[in-house]
Amino acid sequence: MITARKTFLPFALPLISEKAIEEVAAVLRSGWITAGPKVKEFEEEFARYCGADFALAMNSATAGLHLALESIGLCSEDAVLVPAVTFTATAETVCYFGAEPILTDVDPIYNLMTVETLKETIERECVFSKGNLVHKKTGKTVRALMPVHLAGAVCDMDALNSLAREYHLYVIEDSAHAFPATHKGRKIGTHGDFTVFSFYATKGITTGEGGMVTTRHAHFAERMKLMRLHGINRETYGRPGWYYEVVSPGFKYNMNDIAAAIGIVQLSEAEDLWRRRIEIADIYRSEFAQLPFLHLPLPAKDGDHSWHLFRVEVDTVQERMNRDILSAELHKRNIGSSLHFIPLYEHPFYQRFGFDRKNYPNADAMYKKTLSLPLFAGMTDSDIEDVVTAVKGIFSDL
Ligand SMILES: Cc1ncc(COP(=O)(O)O)c(C=O)c1O
């Protein structure tokens, strides 16, 4: 007999405090609901929190990735190194320019881009000629690499930065999962040339939809500021008079004050939200430590994991157990789970680039085994207990 929860427990939910709701109401009553003082305040607070020189709020991380690439002048003659295990946003923004995404494999433990996976890809697919890294198949110039801090474990940024310097590449960190992780003694947000955060509903902090780009480069910050609002050379809020000039065909990527009001409160609560995530990850790690056939995520190597996701790996045990069985059994008990991620080369769109699955043995192995269990700051003790009981029960029947 299976005991199921009365209500469905999704694998992620946002936790919005009354304070955030009050702040949103105040913005709604203020008469200024688009990009204005709240966005500015959020950017300043966020930059301070990360220790970043510049922070630019966007309406999504995808917009932030797009504008980071735009600001380095990416064009259709270029290519960018992207890990095979990520959400489509990382690579799709490269494709916006007609540029070539070159997929790297990931390490077998954290499923991250590493110097080893990069070197392997570069050796196989590129030549270094006249100071440029060139993609052999297309003749395109590799301009950047985009490490993804999957689940909230940060890539080895010193190693990636030094490889990037060697090949004259920009480093654009996809940090959608990593807020507010630390790495080598400091907060995420200052390691690469750009760090791009997501405030999507399920992330470490949320604004409903939203994103932020941090950078130390003043000229790139200026360019992103321009391009997030139609290429108009003056911001709307506080503009003296009606005059402005359009100096570039920009985008409509600005955050609004309603979202920023949520963001400011979420940021002030970030450490508490994070502490709860760490607590849940610790409980899972200790409760599931002895289960056979279930492999648990490790803490981050050079800092503190954000625990955006709790990704386990499930062994196949004849017909009795595998990742899909675990997911289905959890579902029978009214518990959600998810998969992060289907490797990009598996998707119909990315197949046009001719990726060969055999070049991605670690991504391929991950894809067969991985599953994300529920983990979010708003989980109650009894939600956690339900997951623990369910997982232990499922494995005890083996
Ligand atoms: C790794 C990764 N990068 C980028 C994004 C895009 O974030 P957003 O929805 O804020 O555009 C996501 C979204 O979940 C993601 O998981």
Side-chain angles (χ1 to χ4, degrees):
M1 239 278 284
I2 290 172
T3 328
R5 279 170 56 94
K6 285 208 181 65
T7 56
F8 184 71
L9 179 74
F11 92 95
L13 277 179
L15 181 60
I16 306 291
S17 64
E18 281 308 310
K19 174 126 199 307
I21 294 169
E22 282 163 23
E23 290 296 320
V24 167
V27 169
L28 292 175
R29 290 192 186 100
S30 75
W32 192 279
I33 58 174
T34 183
K38 287 288 169 189
V39 168
K40 195 163 182 312
E41 183 184 339
F42 186 33
E43 288 177 336
E44 285 167 5
E45 292 292 320
F46 196 88
R48 193 168 313 126
Y49 184 89
C50 297
D53 294 325
F54 302 96
L56 290 152
M58 306 286 169
N59 58 14
S60 70
T62 307
L65 293 166
H66 184 189
L67 291 194
L69 290 166
E70 200 280 339
S71 73
I72 65 164
L74 199 77
C75 74
S76 60
E77 297 310 306
D78 294 336
V80 177
L81 291 151
V82 176
V85 181
T86 184
F87 185 58
T88 184
T90 326
E92 86 190 6
T93 51
V94 173
C95 301
Y96 290 175
F97 298 87
E100 191 85 1
I102 305 175
L103 297 186
T104 72
D105 200 9
V106 291
D107 81 273
I109 311 274
Y110 295 96
N111 302 149
L112 302 176
M113 174 189 266
T114 65
V115 163
E116 290 70 34
T117 67
L118 276 166
K119 282 192 170 157
E120 186 186 272
T121 309
I122 289 171
E123 227 157 80
R124 187 180 59 238
E125 308 214 10
C126 304
V127 284
F128 195 52
S129 148
K130 298 183 194 144
N132 284 324
L133 195 59
V134 177
H135 188 220
K136 283 191 266 191
K137 196 165 74 182
T138 60
K140 297 191 180 195
T141 306
V142 185
R143 299 282 317 286
L145 53 94
M146 299 175 87
V148 177
H149 307 313
L150 188 72
V154 178
C155 302
D156 183 343
M157 290 309 301
D158 288 347
L160 297 188
N161 283 334
S162 90
L163 183 132
R165 270 194 299 277
E166 187 183 335
Y167 291 112
H168 310 146
L169 308 176
Y170 289 107
V171 178
I172 301 171
E173 294 171 81
D174 181 336
S175 197
H177 296 186
F179 186 84
T182 62
H183 183 61
K184 303 197 172 165
R186 52 189 219 268
K187 280 282 172 210
I188 185 81
T190 55
H191 294 87
D193 293 295
F194 304 82
T195 313
V196 182
F197 298 89
S198 172
F199 306 134
Y200 180 71
T202 57
K203 298 300 195 286
I205 62 171
T206 185
T207 58
E209 300 276 2
M212 189 78 79
V213 187
T214 55
T215 182
R216 63 178 168 280
H217 303 292
H219 59 296
F220 292 148
E222 265 318 298
R223 177 72 185 172
M224 290 188 288
K225 202 173 196 175
L226 180 77
M227 295 305 279
R228 75 177 165 183
L229 196 69
H230 301 292
I232 288 173
N233 66 356
R234 288 185 187 186
E235 303 211 304
T236 317
Y237 184 74
R239 182 193 295 154
W242 50 263
Y243 190 74
Y244 63 84
E245 288 172 348
V246 175
V247 296
S248 208
F251 303 92
K252 185 68 169 78
Y253 281 168
N254 61 284
M255 182 178 274
N256 63 62
D257 267 21
I258 305 168
I262 308 172
I264 292 164
V265 178
Q266 286 265 307
L267 185 61
S268 73
E269 296 165 348
E271 295 286 318
D272 289 340
L273 296 170
W274 187 31
R275 210 166 295 120
R276 183 61 172 161
R277 285 181 179 272
I278 294 170
E279 219 168 79
I280 299 165
D282 283 348
I283 295 171
Y284 284 168
R285 283 172 38 76
S286 107
E287 291 284 351
F288 302 150
Q290 305 307 325
L291 293 182
F293 317 121
L294 187 72
H295 305 274
L296 303 177
L298 295 178
K301 254 198 200 140
D302 296 306
D304 301 307
H305 204 296
S306 75
W307 293 112
H308 168 53
L309 299 172
F310 195 88
R311 294 165 76 246
V312 297
E313 288 200 348
V314 188
D315 288 340
T316 296
V317 187
Q318 293 135 14
E319 306 289 295
R320 290 177 290 140
M321 177 53 69
N322 59 39
R323 185 266 318 284
D324 294 338
I325 293 174
L326 175 59
S327 174
E329 288 297 318
L330 285 168
H331 199 82
K332 282 185 203 162
R333 289 158 178 80
N334 240 346
I335 294 172
S337 58
S338 191
L339 197 159
H340 300 88
F341 287 101
I342 302 168
L344 292 181
Y345 54 76
E346 294 287 345
H347 292 290
F349 170 73
Y350 291 103
Q351 279 163 11
R352 74 193 57 199
F353 298 103
F355 301 119
D356 185 344
R357 187 183 291 122
K358 81 171 178 350
N359 292 329
Y360 307 96
N362 296 333
D364 198 41
M366 172 295 303
Y367 181 37
K368 294 188 175 88
K369 296 175 104 180
T370 194
L371 190 71
S372 300
L373 300 182
L375 197 167
F376 51 95
M379 282 179 86
T380 62
D381 290 348
S382 120
D383 292 335
I384 301 166
E385 208 177 300
D386 287 346
V387 177
V388 167
T389 309
V391 171
K392 281 181 158 174
I394 293 164
F395 280 88
S396 75
D397 290 345
L398 282 180

